[in-house]
Amino acid sequence: MKEEKKKIQNNFGVTVGLLVISILYTVAIMFIDVRPIGPQGSVVGFAKVNQYFHTLLGTNILLYNITDWLSIPILFIMLGFAMAGFVQLIKRKSLLRVDSSILILGGFYVLVFLVYLFFEFFVVNLRPVLIQGILEASYPSSTTMLMMCIIPTAIMQFQRLILVKRLRNLVNSFCGIYASFMIIGRVLSGVHWITDIVGGILFSTTLVMLYYSINQWINSKAGRASQRSR
């Protein structure tokens, strides 16, 4: 039991550490090597690094459109888990009887959306290109963050829900390939500065680690309660 408690504490410790790194990284972008290298004279942090990668990779609007369209299935994954929770709620007639993992996942989705909204209003970087003549917020890459938040948590759920090992491995492998293609595609599309992609990875890793830590903590509490009731 002590080892389990220590593991949970370590999980939360890693989560806090990732959050600190994400915040420090964001602050660094706002103050280090900030120069007007973007469209319409927009200023960008880590200008030398960002300009190098943008010049190297260029812009591929076709790839941008492909990754945009391929991000739609993410919404269906989220809707699927929301429906699973709703069905449990109807059948069990109590929110407290819905699987804790599904409830935590719902809270996680809300948190991801709030982080997205925050950076829509608190603009750190603007895109290196105009999208339909508009200069949009780019940090952190929302597609990258969404992909790296939803897919790993979906894989965790599939580990629990799909009982057939071969099917589970197939589904999770497909999810991994899908997420990898989307992130690489987003990098090569050139519609984000490279630091925006890294920011998306950092924040999504922090959020997923938070989800995992809370899940492990709740499961541990449930396990101890089950042992005491015997």
Side-chain angles (χ1 to χ4, degrees), residues 23-230:
I23 292 172
L24 290 177
Y25 176 76
T26 304
V27 172
I29 288 176
M30 295 170 65
F31 291 101
I32 297 176
D33 192 19
V34 179
R35 284 186 278 146
I37 63 169
Q40 300 176 357
S42 54
V43 295
V44 180
F46 292 161
K48 187 175 182 179
V49 172
N50 278 317
Q51 195 166 42
Y52 170 79
F53 278 99
H54 187 62
T55 303
L56 178 68
L57 300 173
T59 304
N60 189 323
I61 295 299
L62 175 61
L63 193 53
Y64 162 71
N65 289 328
I66 290 172
T67 52
D68 242 22
W69 280 103
L70 286 180
S71 64
I72 293 175
I74 285 291
L75 302 177
F76 287 99
I77 292 174
M78 296 171 70
L79 181 61
F81 286 119
M83 289 300 297
F86 182 71
V87 169
Q88 287 186 10
L89 177 62
I90 297 299
K91 287 184 176 180
R92 300 173 185 179
K93 300 179 180 179
S94 172
L95 188 63
L96 296 176
R97 292 180 181 176
V98 176
D99 289 352
S100 62
S101 184
I102 294 292
L103 291 176
I104 296 167
L105 187 63
F108 173 77
Y109 288 162
V110 171
L111 183 58
V112 171
F113 180 68
L114 290 175
V115 172
Y116 165 78
L117 276 184
F118 175 79
F119 282 108
E120 283 295 301
F121 290 100
F122 183 76
V123 178
V124 175
N125 270 348
L126 295 167
R127 288 186 188 270
V129 295
L130 299 176
I131 303 297
Q132 297 180 347
I134 300 171
L135 189 55
E136 302 173 340
S138 179
Y139 180 92
S141 166
S142 55
T143 301
T144 300
M145 190 172 73
L146 191 65
M147 194 62 53
M148 287 199 64
C149 280
I150 306 306
I151 293 299
T153 51
I155 289 174
M156 292 180 202
Q157 288 292 330
F158 293 147
Q159 284 290 114
R160 181 179 65 90
L161 296 172
I162 302 176
L163 301 180
V164 180
K165 184 178 180 181
R166 185 173 294 181
L167 178 60
R168 182 173 65 240
N169 290 341
L170 182 64
V171 170
N172 287 344
S173 296
F174 175 79
C175 286
I177 294 169
Y178 169 52
S180 299
F181 171 80
M182 289 292 289
I183 294 166
I184 293 170
R186 214 60 178 177
V187 171
L188 297 178
S189 70
V191 297
H192 295 286
W193 301 108
I194 192 68
T195 53
D196 303 339
I197 301 289
V198 174
I201 293 171
L202 280 174
F203 276 103
S204 58
T205 303
T206 303
L207 291 167
V208 170
M209 192 63 202
L210 176 63
Y211 167 81
Y212 175 77
S213 300
I214 292 175
N215 245 329
Q216 293 298 306
W217 176 55
I218 294 295
N219 289 339
S220 176
K221 285 182 67 176
R224 290 197 299 269
S226 177
Q227 288 179 350
R228 286 196 297 268
S229 64
R230 289 176 184 175

